[in-house]
C-alpha cells in the first residue's frame, strides 16, 4: 500500500528536517520553504496530500496568507492544515481557526504528541470526507425514493379517481384534463399575482390534489349520476352532497390530516362548487374566503364540463365555453382568475384540439363495455386490498423519509431502547447521536426544559394506531445559547399484525425559536398601549374578567382615572408634550400601586387601575388622593396656568359590581360625579348616582367624596 503524503511548509530547513524525521517512516514527505511554493505543490498534487504542516512566519508569503489563498481557491476544503508555530497568543490562534486550520501545535512540542495529533486529524478529515460522500449518496437515494413515492401516490390517486369516472361514464381523461388545466391556471396566477404565493412546489401539490375534487361522487346513486335529462330539485340536492361525502371519505384517512397535501385535497373537494358572489355550495363561501386552489379547480372543472360530452349534453366549442364563462352563465368567478383565464385561453384551445384527436382513437367505457365487464375490470385494475395496503405503507414510509430529510431526524426502537439522531443533532447540541437506555436518559435529561419534559412524555403515551402522530412545542438547551423553542413531530410505528404494539417512533426537530419569539412579541404588542407600555383596553378587560372568574370572593377597588383639562395641554403645548404627560402619568400610577395590581390605559387621557385585596375604603381613598396629587407634585405650573389635574371614580368589587362591565360603568358614574364637584378629586360610587335627578344628588352625596386641597 502506498504511503500517504504530508506537505511540510517552513522557511527554516532544520525545522523541516525535524518534522520529516518524525513522519518519514509513516508518510511520504513533500517540503516547501515558503507559502508560494507550498501553493504550487498543492495545485499540482492536491489529490495525494493528506496533511499540511504550516509555519506562520515565512518570507514571500506567510502562513496566514497561505490559509487565505487556500480558502479563496477552496483548497482548505480538500486538505486539513495544522499550524506549527512558536506564536502562542490567543489572537494568532483565533485568526488561524477563523481561516480554517484543523489544529494548532506550539513549539517546542512533544514528538509523540505531534504524531498522534496529526494522525487523528487525518483520520477525522478522511472520515468527514467519506461521510460527505455517503450523505451525497443518501440524498440521491432519498430523491429517487421521493420520485418513486410521487409515482405511487399519483397512481393511487388516478386509480381511485378513474373509478369515479367509470361510474360517471367518462372516458378516463377527465382527471388528467383537470390536473393539466389547473396547472396552467396556477402557473399563470403565480406570475400575474405573486401575493397568492403559489410556488412551483405548491402548484405541483395542488395540481395533484385536483384529482380528488369529485371523489364524493362514489356515494351518489347511478340513476342520478348518469341521468341524461335535467335533475329534479330533490335529485340536485343529492348530487350537491358529493362535496360533503368526499370530505368525509378524505377524513377517514387519519394519518394525513395534518399534512398540507391533505388540506389541498380537502378544501378542493369541499369548495370547488363555491362561487365568488356567495351563490355556490355547500357552504356559500364568498370572495377570498374561498381558497384560491379551490377557485382554480372550480374554473378548470367548469371549462372541462363545457367542452366535454356528457350524458346530458354534447360538447361545446372552446369559443362557446369561454364566452359562457366570461358571461357569467356558469356562475361568478374571481375577476383576477378570469383575467388569467383569458390569457391562457389560446393554450387551452390548443390542448383541447389535441385531446379531441386522442379521444377519437379511444373506446368509451359506457358505449362499448357491458356493465358486468366494467365491474370486473374495476376489480382487476383496482388492485387487491392487500396490495393496496402494502403500497400505502410503502408510500407512507417514503413520505416520512422525504419530509424529515431536511431537519434533525430521530429514530427510537422500543425493543432495544435506543434513540438515534441524524448528524445535525451533534452539530447543534454537541451530544452523542446514539443514546442507549433512552427512557431513563430522557426522564433525567437536562436538554429538555423541566417544565416541558413531562408533557412531552405524556403526549407520546397518548398516541394510538388511529392517531399515531403529534406535534409538540418544547424548550431545549442549546450550548452557549440557552433554552430555545423547538417543534417536535413524532410518528408512532405500530405492529401491523396486532395493531396494538408500538414498535418505535420516527420524528424530527425543527428550531422555531425565532418564530416563537416574534409571535410572543406580536402578542405583547397586541395587548400593550404603544405610548405608555401599559395594558391596553382589550387586555385590561381580559385580565379582569379572568380574575373575577377565578377569585369571586376577593375584594378590590376599580379606579377610573381621567386627566382634567388635558385638551389645554395639547392645544397650547403641543401633542408631543401631551404624550410626555401621558407617559409620566402612566409611570406614576404604576409606581403608586403594587406589582400585583392591574393598570392600563383605555384611550386618550383615561386610565384604569384595579387594586387587588383592597377592602378598606380608607386605604383606597388615600391611594386615590395620591393619584390626584400627581400634577401637584411635579407639574405645578400646569395647574396654575391651565388648571390641569386628575379626577378619579371608584367602584368596589364585588359590592358595586361583579363583572368588568358593571365596575367600569359604575366607576364612570363616580368619575362624572367627581368632575361635577369641581374636578381635582375622587368619588366612590353610590347607588343614588344612577337616579334621574342626578344633579340634585351631586349636591347631597358628600360622604363618598373628598376634595383634594
Amino acid at each position: 500500500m502506498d504511503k500517504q503524503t504530508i506537505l511540510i511548509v517552513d522557511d527554516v530547513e532544520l525545522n523541516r528536517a525535524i518534522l520529516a524525521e518524525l513522519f518519514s517512516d509513516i508518510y511520504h514527505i513533500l517540503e516547501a520553504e515558503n507559502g508560494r511554493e507550498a501553493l504550487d505543490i498543492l495545485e499540482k498534487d492536491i489529490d495525494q496530500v493528506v496533511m499540511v504542516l504550516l509555519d506562520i512566519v515565512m518570507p514571500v508569503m506567510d502562513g496566514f496568507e497561505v490559509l487565505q489563498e487556500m480558502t479563496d481557491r477552496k483548497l482548505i476544503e480538500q486538505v486539513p492544515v495544522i499550524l506549527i508555530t512558536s506564536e502562542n497568543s490567543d489572537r494568532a490562534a483565533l485568526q488561524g481557526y477563523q481561516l480554517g486550520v484543523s489544529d494548532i501545535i506550539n513549539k517546542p512540542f512533544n514528538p509523540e504528541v505531534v504524531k498522534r495529533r496529526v494522525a487523528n486529524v487525518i483520520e477525522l478529515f478522511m472520515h468527514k470526507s467519506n461521510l460527505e460522500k455517503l450523505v451525497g449518496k443518501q440524498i440521491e437515494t432519498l430523491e429517487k425514493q421521493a420520485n418513486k413515492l410521487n409515482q405511487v401516490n399519483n397512481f393511487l390517486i388516478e386509480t381511485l379517481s378513474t373509478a369515479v369516472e367509470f361510474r360517471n361514464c367518462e372516458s378516463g381523461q377527465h382527471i388528467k384534463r383537470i390536473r393539466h388545466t389547473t396547472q396552467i391556471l396556477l402557473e399563470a396566477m403565480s406570475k400575474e399575482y405573486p401575493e397568492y404565493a403559489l410556488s412551483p412546489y405548491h402548484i405541483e401539490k395542488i395540481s395533484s390534489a385536483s384529482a380528488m375534487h369529485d371523489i364524493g361522487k362514489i356515494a351518489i346513486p347511478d340513476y342520478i349520476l348518469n341521468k341524461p335529462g335535467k335533475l329534479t330539485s330533490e335529485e340536485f340536492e343529492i348530487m350537491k352532497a358529493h362535496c360533503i361525502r368526499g370530505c368525509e371519505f378524505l377524513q377517514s384517512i387519519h394519518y394525513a390530516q395534518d399534512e398540507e397535501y391533505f388540506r389541498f385535497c380537502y378544501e378542493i373537494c369541499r369548495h370547488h362548487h363555491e362561487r365568488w358572489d356567495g351563490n355556490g355550495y355547500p357552504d356559500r363561501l364568498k370572495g377570498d374566503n374561498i381558497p384560491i386552489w379551490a377557485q382554480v379547480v372550480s374554473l378548470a372543472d367548469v371549462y372541462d364540463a363545457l367542452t366535454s360530452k356528457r350524458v346530458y349534453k354534447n360538447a361545446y366549442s372552446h369559443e362557446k365555453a369561454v364566452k359562457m364563462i366570461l358571461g357569467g352563465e356558469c356562475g361568478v368567478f374571481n375577476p383576477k382568475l378570469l383575467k388569467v383565464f383569458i390569457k391562457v385561453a389560446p393554450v387551452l384551445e390548443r390542448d383541447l384540439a389535441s385531446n379531441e384527436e386522442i379521444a377519437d382513437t379511444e373506446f368509451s367505457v359506457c358505449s362499448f363495455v357491458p356493465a358486468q365487464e366494467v365491474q370486473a375490470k374495476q376489480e382487476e385494475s383496482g388492485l387487491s386490498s392487500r396490495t393496496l395496503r402494502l403500497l400505502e405503507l410503502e408510500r407512507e414510509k417514503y413520505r416520512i423519509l422525504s419530509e424529515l430529510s431536511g431537519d434533525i431526524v430521530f429514530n427510537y426502537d422500543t425493543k432495544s431502547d435506543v434513540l438515534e439522531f441524524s448528524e445535525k443533532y451533534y452539530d447543534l447540541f454537541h451530544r452523542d447521536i446514539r443514546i442507549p437506555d433512552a427512557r431513563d436518559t430522557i426522564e433525567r435529561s437536562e436538554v429538555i426544559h423541566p417544565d416541558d419534559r413531562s408533557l412531552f412524555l405524556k403526549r407520546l403515551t397518548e398516541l394510538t394506531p388511529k392517531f399515531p402522530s403529534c406535534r409538540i412545542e418544547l424548550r431545549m438547551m442549546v450550548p452557549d445559547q440557552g433554552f430555545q423553542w423547538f417543534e417536535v413531530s413524532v410518528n408512532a410505528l405500530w405492529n401491523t399484525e396486532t395493531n396494538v404494539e408500538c414498535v418505535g417512533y420516527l420524528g424530527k426537530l425543527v428550531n422555531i425559536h425565532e418564530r416563537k419569539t416574534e409571535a410572543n412579541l406580536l402578542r405583547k404588542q397586541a395587548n400593550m398601549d404603544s405610548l405608555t407600555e401599559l395594558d391596553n383596553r382589550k387586555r385590561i378587560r381580559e385580565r379582569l374578567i379572568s380574575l373575577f372568574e377565578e377569585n369571586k370572593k376577593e375584594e378590590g377597588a376599580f379606579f377610573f382615572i381621567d386627566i382634567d383639562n388635558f385638551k389645554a395641554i395639547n392645544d397650547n403645548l403641543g401633542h408631543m408634550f401631551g404624550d410626555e404627560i401621558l407617559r409620566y402619568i402612566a409611570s406614576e400610577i404604576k409606581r403608586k400601586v403594587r406589582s400585583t395590581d392591574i393598570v392600563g390605559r383605555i384611550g386618550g387621557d383615561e386610565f384604569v387601575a384595579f387594586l387587588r385585596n383592597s377592602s378598606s375604603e380608607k386605604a383606597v381613598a388615600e391611594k386615590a388622593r395620591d393619584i390626584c396629587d400627581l400634577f401637584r407634585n411635579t407639574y405645578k405650573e400646569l395647574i396654575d396656568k391651565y388648571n390641569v389635574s386628575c379626577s378619579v371614580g371608584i367602584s368596589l368589587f364585588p359590592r358595586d359590581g361583579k363583572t368588568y362591565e358593571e365596575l367600569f360603568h359604575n366607576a364612570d358614574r363616580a368619575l362624572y360625579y367627581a368632575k361635577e364637584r369641581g374636578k381635582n378629586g375622587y368619588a366612590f360610587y353610590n347607588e343614588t348616582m344612577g337616579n334621574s335627578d342626578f344633579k340634585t344628588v351631586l349636591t347631597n352625596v358628600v360622604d363618598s367624596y373628598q376634595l383634594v386641597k
Side-chain angles (χ1 to χ4, degrees):
M1 180 177 176
D2 294 338
K3 290 183 179 180
Q4 295 173 317
T5 299
I6 287 181
L7 173 60
I8 301 173
V9 188
D10 198 310
D11 62 316
V12 179
E13 186 177 2
L14 179 59
N15 292 340
R16 298 200 304 272
I18 292 174
L19 289 171
E21 188 70 25
L22 281 176
F23 296 107
S24 59
D25 59 333
I26 306 173
Y27 302 96
H28 175 65
I29 305 297
L30 294 177
E31 297 183 21
E33 61 182 20
N34 60 62
R36 178 59 61 193
E37 185 178 335
L39 288 172
D40 292 341
I41 293 174
L42 287 175
E43 285 285 1
K44 180 181 177 182
D45 299 315
I46 188 65
D47 294 334
Q48 281 72 43
V49 177
V50 297
M51 169 63 68
V52 176
L53 301 178
L54 181 65
D55 187 24
I56 293 180
V57 182
M58 296 182 296
V60 184
M61 180 181 283
D62 66 26
F64 292 134
E65 292 173 325
V66 172
L67 288 170
Q68 186 61 60
E69 189 73 17
M70 290 181 68
T71 299
D72 295 340
R73 300 187 192 182
K74 301 187 184 302
L75 298 175
I76 197 72
E77 301 173 5
Q78 302 178 55
V79 59
V81 178
I82 292 180
L83 286 181
I84 298 184
T85 177
S86 57
E87 174 65 65
N88 59 4
S89 67
D90 291 339
R91 181 193 62 79
L94 179 60
Q95 186 176 359
Y97 285 123
Q98 287 175 339
L99 289 170
V101 300
S102 300
D103 199 356
I104 298 176
I105 298 174
N106 295 113
K107 302 174 184 176
F109 50 74
N110 183 306
E112 291 303 318
V113 171
V114 172
K115 290 172 69 174
R116 186 67 264 171
R117 287 169 72 172
V118 167
N120 286 344
V121 170
I122 291 174
E123 182 179 355
L124 287 173
F125 199 87
M126 293 182 67
H127 181 63
K128 175 186 174 185
S129 179
N130 290 334
L131 280 178
E132 289 174 349
K133 293 178 182 177
L134 179 61
V135 168
K137 291 181 180 179
Q138 289 176 338
I139 292 174
E140 183 179 350
T141 301
L142 282 174
E143 290 175 348
K144 291 180 180 178
Q145 291 172 344
N147 290 332
K148 181 179 178 182
L149 167 63
N150 286 332
Q151 292 174 359
V152 173
N153 186 39
N154 290 334
F155 171 72
L156 291 174
I157 290 173
E158 289 189 6
T159 299
L160 190 57
S161 302
T162 302
V164 178
E165 290 192 49
F166 286 167
R167 291 194 65 240
N168 204 18
C169 289
E170 300 263 350
S171 66
Q173 294 297 314
H174 173 64
I175 293 300
K176 293 181 179 179
R177 293 194 301 267
I178 289 294
R179 179 184 296 170
H180 181 65
T181 305
T182 297
Q183 183 172 358
I184 290 174
L185 289 170
L186 287 171
E187 289 174 349
M189 285 289 288
S190 69
K191 295 176 182 177
E192 191 75 21
Y193 302 106
E195 61 267 26
Y196 285 112
L198 295 168
S199 66
Y201 169 82
H202 288 115
I203 291 174
E204 179 185 352
K205 291 295 181 184
I206 295 167
S207 300
S208 176
S210 68
M212 306 296 283
H213 71 288
D214 273 342
I215 194 67
K217 286 185 177 179
I218 286 179
I220 304 301
D222 285 343
Y223 78 91
I224 294 178
L225 196 63
N226 297 318
K227 183 177 180 179
K230 184 177 180 180
L231 298 179
T232 66
S233 58
E234 292 81 6
E235 290 170 340
F236 185 56
E237 288 301 317
I238 295 174
M239 176 65 81
K240 286 164 59 176
H242 79 275
C243 298
I244 304 299
R245 299 302 296 274
C247 291
E248 292 172 352
F249 172 78
L250 289 172
Q251 284 179 313
S252 67
I253 310 175
H254 296 291
Y255 77 88
Q257 287 189 357
D258 291 332
E259 297 302 319
E260 187 177 45
Y261 182 74
F262 173 83
R263 180 165 62 92
F264 290 147
C265 291
Y266 185 91
E267 292 180 349
I268 288 171
C269 181
R270 188 176 186 94
H271 301 307
H272 72 284
H273 282 293
E274 303 287 357
R275 290 295 178 263
W276 185 255
D277 58 357
N279 289 325
Y281 62 86
D283 300 316
R284 300 186 68 83
L285 298 184
K286 185 176 182 180
D288 281 324
N289 288 328
I290 309 169
I292 187 60
W293 32 89
Q295 296 183 46
V296 171
V297 174
S298 174
L299 182 55
D301 189 33
V302 167
Y303 174 78
D304 189 70
L306 292 173
T307 56
S308 302
K309 183 178 180 180
R310 297 291 170 88
V311 293
Y312 54 85
K313 73 169 193 63
N314 290 320
Y316 294 119
S317 68
H318 168 80
E319 293 79 5
K320 176 69 173 175
V322 171
K323 184 177 180 180
M324 292 175 69
I325 290 172
L326 297 180
E329 297 182 50
C330 306
V332 181
F333 291 94
N334 184 342
K336 294 180 179 179
L337 184 55
L338 290 179
K339 180 180 177 182
V340 166
F341 176 68
I342 294 172
K343 284 191 173 184
V344 302
V347 178
L348 297 178
E349 183 178 18
R350 181 197 64 202
D351 293 343
L352 179 63
S354 300
N355 290 333
E356 288 173 348
E357 292 176 4
I358 295 172
D360 289 339
T361 64
E362 295 179 343
F363 294 97
S364 170
V365 172
C366 289
S367 300
F368 298 98
V369 183
Q372 298 89 338
E373 192 173 339
V374 171
Q375 183 177 358
K377 285 182 177 291
Q378 282 183 277
E379 293 176 354
E380 180 181 354
S381 62
L383 305 179
S384 69
S385 60
R386 176 176 178 272
T387 303
L388 283 173
R389 177 174 61 83
L390 292 174
L391 282 172
E392 187 60 28
L393 287 174
E394 197 72 0
R395 189 179 82 85
E396 177 68 0
K397 181 176 70 174
Y398 289 133
R399 183 190 66 81
I400 293 173
L401 287 173
S402 177
E403 180 183 353
L404 300 183
S405 61
D407 299 299
I408 297 178
V409 183
F410 61 85
N411 174 33
Y412 173 69
D413 183 89
T414 56
K415 186 175 181 180
S416 63
D417 195 20
V418 172
L419 176 64
E420 292 182 306
F421 290 91
S422 60
E423 291 291 337
K424 287 188 178 182
Y425 180 81
Y426 177 81
D427 295 339
L428 185 60
F429 294 100
H430 305 319
R431 292 174 176 266
D432 291 339
I433 64 174
R434 189 175 189 275
I435 303 175
D437 302 321
R439 293 189 192 91
D440 292 339
T441 302
I442 291 177
E443 290 177 356
R444 303 190 314 269
S445 173
E446 298 177 355
V447 176
I448 303 177
H449 194 285
D451 296 341
D452 301 333
R453 191 185 307 128
S454 59
L455 173 63
F456 173 63
L457 295 173
K458 180 175 181 293
R459 290 293 301 277
L460 291 182
T461 62
E462 294 172 350
L463 297 180
T464 65
K466 190 175 181 180
F467 300 100
S469 62
C470 68
R471 292 184 181 179
I472 310 164
E473 293 183 358
L474 50 79
R475 289 159 289 182
M476 301 183 70
M477 176 62 72
V478 179
D480 302 325
Q481 299 182 50
F483 281 105
Q484 293 196 351
W485 282 101
F486 285 79
E487 181 182 76
V488 186
S489 301
V490 182
N491 288 268
L493 305 177
W494 300 87
N495 187 316
T496 56
E497 296 296 327
T498 63
N499 206 31
V500 294
E501 181 186 4
C502 180
V503 297
Y505 299 92
L506 285 176
K508 68 175 181 178
L509 294 174
V510 179
N511 191 313
I512 59 169
H513 190 73
E514 184 176 347
R515 186 180 77 196
K516 190 87 171 177
T517 302
E518 289 178 355
N520 291 336
L521 178 60
L522 290 174
R523 190 178 299 110
K524 180 180 179 182
Q525 291 174 344
N527 293 325
M528 183 181 69
D529 174 60
S530 59
L531 178 65
T532 62
E533 296 187 356
L534 296 178
D535 286 346
N536 59 21
R537 186 184 193 118
K538 169 179 168 291
R539 181 57 177 162
I540 281 286
R541 183 176 184 277
E542 290 174 349
R543 292 184 65 186
L544 289 180
I545 288 176
S546 176
L547 177 66
F548 298 155
E549 289 177 350
E550 295 174 1
N551 304 278
K552 296 182 179 180
K553 295 183 179 180
E554 177 183 314
E555 296 181 329
F558 186 96
F559 282 18
F560 196 146
I561 306 164
D562 182 79
I563 303 177
D564 304 319
N565 303 321
F566 183 72
K567 186 175 183 297
I569 296 178
N570 282 335
D571 292 345
N572 293 279
L573 301 177
H575 287 276
M576 291 184 65
F577 186 76
D579 289 347
E580 183 61 36
I581 293 296
L582 292 175
R583 281 191 287 267
Y584 163 74
I585 292 295
S587 63
E588 285 297 298
I589 294 174
K590 194 170 183 180
R591 186 176 64 83
K592 289 182 178 296
V593 301
R594 298 159 297 183
S595 60
T596 55
D597 296 332
I598 299 173
V599 181
R601 178 186 177 212
I602 61 173
D605 58 348
E606 296 176 333
F607 299 82
V608 296
F610 185 78
L611 278 57
R612 300 185 61 182
N613 298 304
S614 297
S615 58
S616 169
E617 289 194 25
K618 181 179 179 181
V620 171
E622 291 177 355
K623 189 64 64 177
R625 186 180 298 111
D626 287 344
I627 293 175
C628 291
D629 282 338
L630 289 178
F631 282 99
R632 186 176 300 279
N633 295 338
T634 305
Y635 289 100
K636 189 175 184 304
E637 67 278 6
L638 295 179
I639 298 176
D640 298 336
K641 190 169 183 179
Y642 301 111
N643 198 27
V644 177
S645 58
C646 276
S647 294
V648 182
I650 307 168
S651 59
L652 300 178
F653 176 82
R655 188 191 75 183
D656 299 330
K658 296 181 180 179
T659 67
Y660 171 82
E661 286 74 15
E662 290 174 339
L663 290 171
F664 188 97
H665 178 71
N666 292 335
D668 187 28
R669 286 184 172 276
L671 176 65
Y672 181 71
Y673 173 80
K675 285 182 173 289
E676 287 290 328
R677 291 289 296 178
K679 303 180 181 180
N680 194 27
Y682 65 88
F684 285 85
Y685 170 74
N686 187 294
E687 290 184 356
T688 57
M689 292 178 181
N691 294 342
S692 58
D693 56 340
F694 186 45
K695 291 186 177 179
T696 303
V697 176
L698 291 177
T699 60
N700 296 329
V701 183
V702 294
D703 293 338
S704 64
Y705 177 81
Q706 295 186 25
L707 186 63
V708 177
K709 303 298 184 181

Coordinates of all heavy atoms in Angstrom, one line a residue, residues 11 291 307 350 534 618 631:
D11 N 10.2 28.0 6.5 CA 11.4 28.6 5.8 C 12.7 28.1 6.4 O 13.8 28.3 5.8 CB 11.3 30.1 5.8 CG 11.3 30.6 7.3 OD1 10.6 30.0 8.1 OD2 11.9 31.6 7.5
P291 N -60.7 29.2 -0.8 CA -59.2 29.0 -1.0 C -58.9 29.2 -2.5 O -59.7 28.7 -3.4 CB -59.0 27.6 -0.5 CG -60.1 27.4 0.5 CD -61.3 28.1 0.0
T307 N -66.6 21.8 -22.4 CA -66.0 21.3 -23.7 C -66.0 19.8 -23.8 O -65.4 19.3 -24.8 CB -64.6 21.9 -23.7 OG1 -63.8 21.4 -22.6 CG2 -64.5 23.4 -23.8
R350 N -55.6 25.0 -27.8 CA -54.7 24.1 -28.5 C -54.7 22.7 -27.8 O -54.7 21.7 -28.5 CB -53.3 24.7 -28.4 CG -52.2 23.9 -29.1 CD -50.8 24.3 -28.7 NE -50.6 24.1 -27.2 CZ -49.8 24.7 -26.5 NH1 -49.0 25.6 -27.0 NH2 -49.7 24.4 -25.2
L534 N -48.4 50.4 29.0 CA -49.4 49.7 29.9 C -50.2 48.8 29.1 O -50.3 48.8 27.9 CB -50.2 50.8 30.6 CG -49.6 51.8 31.5 CD1 -50.6 52.7 32.1 CD2 -48.8 51.1 32.7
K618 N -60.9 53.4 53.5 CA -59.9 54.5 53.9 C -58.6 54.4 53.1 O -58.1 55.4 52.6 CB -59.7 54.4 55.4 CG -58.7 55.5 55.9 CD -58.5 55.3 57.4 CE -57.5 56.4 57.9 NZ -57.3 56.3 59.4
F631 N -50.1 65.8 39.6 CA -49.6 67.1 38.9 C -49.1 68.0 40.0 O -48.2 68.8 39.7 CB -50.8 67.7 38.2 CG -51.0 67.0 36.9 CD1 -52.1 66.1 36.7 CD2 -50.3 67.3 35.8 CE1 -52.3 65.5 35.5 CE2 -50.5 66.7 34.6 CZ -51.5 65.8 34.4

